[in-house]
Amino acid sequence: MSAAARVGGAVKRAARGVVGALSPKLLRRIQLSRARGRYLREPTEGPRRLLLEPTTGCNHRCEMCWDHSPRLRKQTPTWHMPFERLRALLEEMAGMGTEQVWLAGRGEPFVHPQAGDILQLIGSLGMRSIITTNAGRLTEELAERLPGWGVQQLSVSIDSGNPQTYAAVHHARPEDRARILELIRRLSTRKDRPRLLVSMVLSKLNCAELLDLVRDAIEAGADGIVVGGMRPVSFDSTGLALSDEDWARVREDLAKAEEMVGEAGLELRTDNIRPAEMPRADAWPYQHMACFIGHVFTVIDVHGNVDGCCTCQNKLGNLEEASFREIWRSRPYRLYRRVLRDMPSTGLTPPRCECRYGCGHVPENAALQRELGFEFAARPGESEFATRLDVARAICRHLDAVLPPGEEEFAFADLHEESARSVTSRLRRVGVMAGIGSMDGESLFEPQRMLARVEFEWVVRRTLVSGGMDRERAERVVAESRAGEGDAGEPLTRLDMEAWLGRVRDALPRDSGR
């Protein structure tokens, strides 16, 4: 730090001391105003927390896993982020003020061949680490070294109440369950221990064993238990989804678990439990609360892709093309923060955001809102942005000539709410469903979900090709008819969408309806 900076800092501290002595309330208002401004403007520093995916490889094949389940037709291949790239990234982020690195993602962190070196590097840079792990590769030697490397929290997935279910869910050795609980017990006796959590993802295979896992975690000396529910998966989940009877039992067991952990002085986290049905609009947490995760958090995967959040899969840049500092200050990231901040007034989330299925950042955002006194009132009326339902209606109205025939009783030109499921079916048949909905299909009609320009362009192109148009011709029609200005990831307005589709429709007769 330069001499001028040191002098300036001393002057500011002295001024704060004088103001505080004369009027503590005035000092508090000044501090509150500055803190509010930090979240309403672009951040001057980097994110406080980083979720880093060092590897996609995993030593387990958990039944409910999106990437490694044996039910998948094709499992996620194994990639490791090179250690030199990791070093450069972590050094850059430490210099930007990042305080915490969360090792998680599509793989098991300890599968990375240099997992210990990564943890040691994080600690040497003055940052703390959090690890989400199945602990199958966590040896006694590694466990003993975790506190010295600055590991702040260890979250271990066990997902069972006995060794047999553990083997069935994880496709791992049944005796590993007892070994892992013993490692937790040994760590719990250390004064410098990390925070120890045991987690379970509920499914038909293990939902009857929740209380058994809670008892084992308490006996092992864990600090908390995390219970979650399955999100929609891209494979046949028959035998995994909970029935109404299962949910009834889970609710009863959770009440008992609350008593057990309360008596033991533990924490029970159930933020990510949600039934399989679609969430209700009135249950959406961001009706009256903004999300500031774009100011304090970021996600980087094994290939260097930068996402804003683990719930919103929005690629904001890649480390092969720019430094993290450049990506953090880029226009797409600024737009992303603005959309998150404006959610209460627009009712819209960023593209590919699934926060209505459950958001782990709700407690942090709620705490910030309370601390800073933010008030966000939902604005009545429709938003200017095009939602997925708007897009479905407009495609059927403008491009009926290129869509294969649907049910005769359905009038595509006059779409009503009760016809929504027929639209879903028709768009799925022409192959554009993936562009305007999530994998379960029904979320096409969540009103908060808007379309980015690049997504909408893909939907139109795919619709034209499905209707028989030559791919090169479809590319040209889309490019020539493009309406409005903006980045590829920017939300599309309804006005731009209608103009765009109108021009596409006008171009069709010149090509004999195709």
Side-chain angles (χ1 to χ4, degrees):
M1 183 183 294
S2 66
R6 287 196 297 271
V7 171
V11 170
K12 289 180 180 178
R13 287 191 295 273
R16 285 197 295 269
V18 171
V19 173
L22 295 176
S23 175
K25 289 184 179 180
L26 176 60
L27 178 61
R28 171 59 182 161
R29 285 201 298 271
I30 293 172
Q31 292 172 335
L32 187 61
S33 175
R34 293 187 63 187
R36 283 177 173 175
R38 187 182 308 129
Y39 291 99
L40 296 177
R41 295 190 297 267
E42 287 301 303
T44 56
E45 297 180 340
R48 291 203 302 264
R49 303 194 314 280
L50 160 67
L51 191 158
L52 177 63
E53 180 184 71
T55 180
T56 57
C58 191
N59 53 315
H60 286 186
R61 296 291 180 265
C62 296
E63 287 284 332
M64 61 285 183
C65 181
W66 303 344
D67 296 284
H68 302 288
S69 171
R71 297 168 181 251
L72 286 164
R73 293 181 181 177
K74 184 178 180 181
Q75 297 176 353
T76 299
T78 296
W79 294 292
H80 303 307
M81 184 180 283
F83 185 74
E84 288 310 311
R85 169 180 279 184
L86 279 163
R87 181 194 297 277
L89 170 66
L90 292 170
E91 288 176 349
E92 180 183 24
M93 299 200 70
M96 293 176 67
T98 299
E99 301 167 1
Q100 189 182 80
V101 181
W102 177 11
L103 298 181
R106 293 169 291 175
E108 161 56 45
F110 288 107
V111 165
H112 193 287
Q114 293 170 284
D117 295 332
I118 296 171
L119 290 168
Q120 188 174 21
L121 174 62
I122 293 170
S124 70
L125 291 170
M127 298 184 289
R128 309 283 284 176
S129 54
I130 290 178
I131 311 170
T132 297
T133 175
N134 59 47
R137 294 283 185 91
L138 182 60
T139 63
E140 289 185 24
E141 180 184 0
L142 270 174
E144 287 296 317
R145 301 181 71 179
L146 295 182
W149 287 335
V151 175
Q152 192 172 30
Q153 178 174 294
L154 186 71
S155 180
V156 182
S157 304
I158 295 183
D159 301 305
S160 65
N162 60 63
Q164 292 73 34
T165 303
Y166 177 83
V169 173
H170 286 256
H171 288 267
R173 298 181 305 173
E175 59 268 25
D176 278 355
R177 185 178 186 276
R179 181 186 66 82
I180 292 167
L181 286 168
E182 176 60 20
L183 282 178
I184 294 173
R185 189 193 65 76
R186 291 188 181 184
L187 276 171
S188 71
T189 62
R190 295 188 52 155
K191 292 182 179 180
D192 57 352
R193 70 177 190 174
R195 180 171 172 76
L196 301 169
L197 301 179
V198 172
S199 68
M200 168 187 270
V201 175
L202 293 170
S203 71
K204 176 75 82 172
L205 299 175
N206 63 13
C207 64
E209 302 174 9
L210 173 58
L211 296 180
D212 295 326
L213 178 63
V214 171
R215 291 190 190 95
D216 289 345
I218 292 173
E219 291 176 3
D223 298 296
I225 297 112
V226 181
V227 184
M230 285 183 60
R231 289 177 181 246
V233 290
S234 58
F235 53 79
D236 181 7
S237 60
T238 303
L240 294 179
L242 273 63
S243 65
D244 291 341
E245 293 77 13
D246 294 329
W247 280 114
R249 174 169 182 165
V250 166
R251 284 191 288 270
E252 292 179 2
D253 286 349
L254 282 173
K256 296 176 183 176
E258 288 276 8
E259 296 178 6
M260 294 168 62
V261 299
E263 293 174 0
L266 275 66
E267 176 189 10
L268 178 65
R269 290 171 49 185
T270 58
D271 299 336
N272 285 325
I273 291 185
R274 49 201 170 276
E277 67 265 17
M278 288 296 298
R280 302 185 315 276
D282 60 2
W284 189 45
Y286 294 108
Q287 288 186 98
H288 304 284
M289 179 173 68
C291 178
F292 293 107
I293 208 64
H295 284 70
V296 299
F297 182 68
T298 195
V299 180
I300 301 178
D301 74 10
V302 71
H303 301 298
N305 294 313
V306 179
D307 288 321
C309 177
C310 43
T311 307
C312 301
Q313 300 297 316
N314 292 281
K315 181 180 174 182
L316 300 170
N318 184 276
L319 298 178
E320 290 280 358
E321 301 164 359
S323 68
F324 179 78
R325 187 183 299 272
E326 291 169 332
I327 296 169
W328 181 248
R329 296 176 177 175
S330 67
R331 188 173 187 275
Y333 226 126
R334 294 199 303 272
L335 174 67
Y336 175 74
R337 294 187 190 101
R338 190 188 75 192
V339 172
L340 291 176
R341 186 194 63 205
D342 293 345
M343 282 196 294
S345 59
T346 65
L348 299 171
T349 68
R352 291 174 298 280
C353 184
E354 299 294 341
C355 67
R356 291 205 182 212
Y357 288 104
C359 175
H361 301 298
V362 166
E364 180 176 8
N365 282 313
L368 271 174
Q369 176 153 307
R370 288 192 302 270
E371 177 187 347
L372 302 179
F374 283 127
E375 293 184 6
F376 298 95
R379 186 182 303 164
E382 295 185 352
S383 165
E384 63 173 322
F385 294 116
T387 67
R388 287 185 284 190
L389 182 54
D390 292 326
V391 173
R393 286 172 165 158
I395 285 177
C396 292
R397 182 169 62 252
H398 290 282
L399 304 182
D400 194 63
V402 298
L403 288 172
E407 295 84 357
E408 292 183 2
E409 70 275 11
F410 181 70
F412 288 100
D414 185 21
L415 183 62
H416 300 290
E417 287 291 338
E418 59 268 22
S419 310
R421 294 185 184 277
S422 297
V423 180
T424 306
S425 175
R426 193 176 192 200
L427 293 177
R428 185 182 293 113
R429 284 202 303 276
V430 301
V432 302
M433 195 63 207
I436 53 177
S438 63
M439 61 186 69
D440 67 333
E442 298 304 318
S443 60
L444 167 67
F445 302 107
E446 291 177 40
Q448 97 290 355
R449 175 61 157 83
M450 63 182 138
L451 263 288
R453 290 176 177 275
V454 66
E455 289 182 291
F456 181 73
E457 185 170 317
W458 183 92
V459 170
V460 175
R461 186 187 307 112
R462 185 68 180 85
T463 304
L464 295 175
V465 172
S466 299
M469 183 179 287
D470 174 79
R471 185 175 297 276
E472 185 176 338
R473 164 73 173 153
E475 292 275 4
R476 190 163 61 253
V477 167
V478 170
E480 292 174 353
S481 62
R482 187 176 290 115
E485 299 295 333
D487 288 353
E490 188 167 353
L492 191 72
T493 68
R494 287 202 302 268
L495 184 63
D496 281 351
M497 175 196 65
E498 290 286 355
W500 196 335
L501 283 175
R503 294 182 186 183
V504 173
R505 179 197 59 205
D506 294 341
L508 295 180
R510 295 197 297 272
D511 199 24
S512 302
R514 296 294 184 193

